[in-house]
Amino acid sequence: MQTIPATNKAIQFVKRPNGKPTPDIFSPKELLLSSLRANEFLIKNLYLSMDPALVGRMRDEDNYAESVVPGDVMHAYGIGQVIASNHTQVKVGEVRLGRFDMQEYSVQTNPDDSRVINLGLAKPTWYLGPVGITGATAYFGLFDIAKPKRGDTVVISAGASSVGSIVAQLAKSVGCRVVAIVSNEEKAAQVKMDFGYDAAVTYRNKSISDIESDLKNACPQGIDIYFDNVSGDISEALLDLYNEKARIVVCGRLGISHLSDTKNDIGRRDNNAILSKRIRKQGFVLLDYQSRMMEAVIQLAAWVRQGKLVIKEDIIEGVDNIPKAFFRMLDGESQGKQLVHLANVDDAIDPAPRWLGAALTSSQFPRKPVLKAVSKAMSLKSQ
């Protein structure tokens, strides 16, 4: 067991943004740490993930996730290691994935609020990207909701993002044509080279009609699936291009991050297109798939190790640079999944059977029956 530090450097959320978030919503803060009480355990944060969904937590409105209150440490998901524990169900050394927030250390009380991860299965950063929340969002959103078929045309907004890039690769793997919507021509060329997009359309300094025209050229057979990571005006540009029985996965709202209240989002109504073309439009929240997370984790880890998924990471060092990393993500400047590195794993104290994690991604391992059994067990547990 490591010595509990006296202080904890954190990033405080000081006020709700008036429009798009600006740097003055954050403030560095040094918190005091005391001895653990009964049933508490202390996480040392290793990596934090900067995600577009954090913007939704800043608003004082109904949301699928808990809002952050001004004065609190800003929310964030991360990978951390248990360095002290007064909880009978939590072992010192465990590496865990959970909402540990923008700080160096996190005092936790409920083991079910985070989950133990196996670093034999995947590297720590992968759990915040292709093998964790990001990858599972792409995996379930595409395969469970969009249900792609060979020959479908799939359009992905925020096509260079960590979610968008994985959706593109998964869709290509089943024989779809994939088209990215990105900010500029440089990114358009980059995503085609890095992630195998068949075409890429840009939106910066363009009208909705211009974007629609570019999409029409990029999708000569129409659009069968739209993986919507942004909402707002960009999504409106697709309305007249959908094929009959198209599927829309509403996954993100980065395109309306400039609004203080999402009720102020206005645009063309889509009921006519949905009705006439029998389009299915469904919101996607990963929380609905908790019972099947291991299915996604194991399968995605195998694909990454086999070279079937290309991943890119943009890692910034230190707690003081968390706001910088957040705004790099928000402004579309990150070159891959935006992460902040705070500390290294202490491999010597991790009790996880890493040999088992490595075996699960082996080509010789009977993965399908194991995944089926795990998903069934988790589903029964959640009932």
Side-chain angles (χ1 to χ4, degrees):
M1 182 181 296
Q2 296 186 20
T3 302
I4 296 177
T7 59
N8 175 26
K9 294 179 72 174
I11 301 299
Q12 185 181 31
F13 178 65
V14 295
K15 66 177 183 178
R16 301 198 187 281
N18 181 20
K20 185 176 180 180
T22 50
D24 59 348
I25 64 171
F26 294 140
S27 177
K29 187 173 184 178
E30 194 165 275
L31 307 172
L32 296 178
L33 288 174
S34 57
S35 299
L36 295 180
R37 293 176 292 185
N39 295 321
E40 288 185 337
F41 57 100
L42 183 64
I43 294 282
K44 182 178 184 178
N45 278 334
L46 308 175
Y47 291 92
L48 294 177
S49 176
M50 300 295 107
D51 300 304
L54 295 177
V55 176
R57 291 174 178 263
M58 297 176 180
R59 300 189 181 101
D60 185 18
E61 62 182 39
D62 289 339
N63 196 12
Y64 60 85
E66 179 185 3
S67 295
V68 60
V69 177
D72 287 352
V73 176
M74 181 59 202
H75 294 182
Y77 281 89
I79 299 295
Q81 188 165 28
V82 179
I83 62 169
S85 177
N86 277 344
H87 201 296
T88 57
Q89 298 177 30
V90 178
K91 298 177 182 178
V92 169
E94 287 178 347
V95 183
R96 286 179 166 259
L97 165 65
R99 209 208 82 196
F100 301 141
D101 298 340
M102 295 184 180
Q103 55 190 344
E104 291 180 303
Y105 300 92
S106 177
V107 177
Q108 299 279 309
T109 57
N110 185 357
D112 293 336
D113 288 342
S114 59
R115 62 184 179 87
V116 178
I117 61 174
N118 189 308
L119 299 186
L121 181 71
K123 296 178 182 179
T125 57
W126 293 5
Y127 280 101
L128 294 173
V131 176
I133 294 170
T134 298
T137 296
Y139 179 88
F140 291 121
L142 182 68
F143 292 135
D144 271 49
I145 297 178
K147 300 185 184 301
K149 303 185 298 293
R150 179 171 295 277
D152 280 348
T153 294
V154 182
V155 174
I156 305 161
S157 54
S161 68
S162 50
V163 171
S165 62
I166 296 173
V167 173
Q169 294 176 78
L170 296 180
K172 284 290 288 185
S173 73
V174 294
C176 296
R177 174 179 174 80
V178 291
V179 178
I181 302 177
V182 295
S183 58
N184 55 56
E185 294 296 340
E186 182 181 357
K187 275 199 172 179
Q190 192 70 43
V191 296
K192 287 191 285 186
M193 180 173 65
D194 289 343
F195 307 120
Y197 280 100
D198 296 288
V201 169
T202 63
Y203 64 81
R204 187 163 291 170
N205 300 322
K206 289 183 178 179
S207 66
I208 294 175
S209 60
D210 288 338
I211 299 170
E212 180 181 0
S213 178
D214 291 344
L215 282 168
K216 190 172 184 179
N217 290 332
C219 308
Q221 304 301 316
I223 297 169
D224 300 292
I225 294 171
Y226 176 39
F227 203 99
D228 186 358
N229 288 307
V230 299
S231 303
D233 292 344
I234 290 174
S235 301
E236 189 176 315
L238 284 77
L239 274 179
D240 294 323
L241 304 177
Y242 289 118
N243 292 326
E244 288 187 356
K245 298 185 178 179
R247 290 83 74 199
I248 303 171
V249 182
V250 182
C251 183
R253 297 172 292 182
L254 191 58
I256 55 174
S257 63
H258 61 289
L259 300 176
S260 299
D261 188 335
T262 54
K263 294 186 181 72
N264 296 325
D265 183 27
I266 59 174
R268 177 180 164 190
R269 293 174 177 169
D270 59 6
N271 276 7
N272 185 61
I274 289 174
L275 177 62
S276 62
K277 295 184 178 179
R278 283 83 76 203
I279 296 169
R280 180 160 54 84
K281 183 177 183 179
Q282 183 174 334
F284 173 83
V285 176
L286 186 59
L287 294 172
D288 296 337
Y289 288 84
Q290 289 307 299
S291 65
R292 293 177 55 195
M293 275 297 292
M294 281 307 298
E295 170 194 336
V297 166
I298 294 171
Q299 182 59 78
L300 289 161
W303 284 335
V304 173
R305 290 200 179 279
Q306 293 164 12
K308 295 180 179 179
L309 280 178
V310 175
I311 60 171
K312 293 186 70 178
E313 297 174 337
D314 190 325
I315 301 176
I316 288 181
E317 297 287 333
V319 65
D320 294 332
N321 284 320
I322 290 175
K324 176 182 177 181
F326 174 83
F327 286 103
R328 278 177 59 80
M329 174 278 299
L330 189 64
D331 296 334
E333 296 176 356
S334 56
Q335 301 299 309
K337 174 67 180 180
Q338 187 66 69
L339 302 168
V340 179
H341 175 237
L342 301 178
N344 294 323
V345 179
D346 186 344
D347 295 311
I349 63 171
D350 178 12
R354 296 191 183 184
W355 62 269
L356 177 58
L360 290 171
T361 60
S362 167
S363 58
Q364 283 77 41
F365 194 84
R367 201 159 34 252
K368 286 187 177 180
V370 170
L371 290 176
K372 187 175 181 180
V374 167
S375 296
K376 184 177 180 180
M378 293 300 293
S379 179
L380 290 172
K381 183 180 178 182
S382 65
Q383 291 177 2

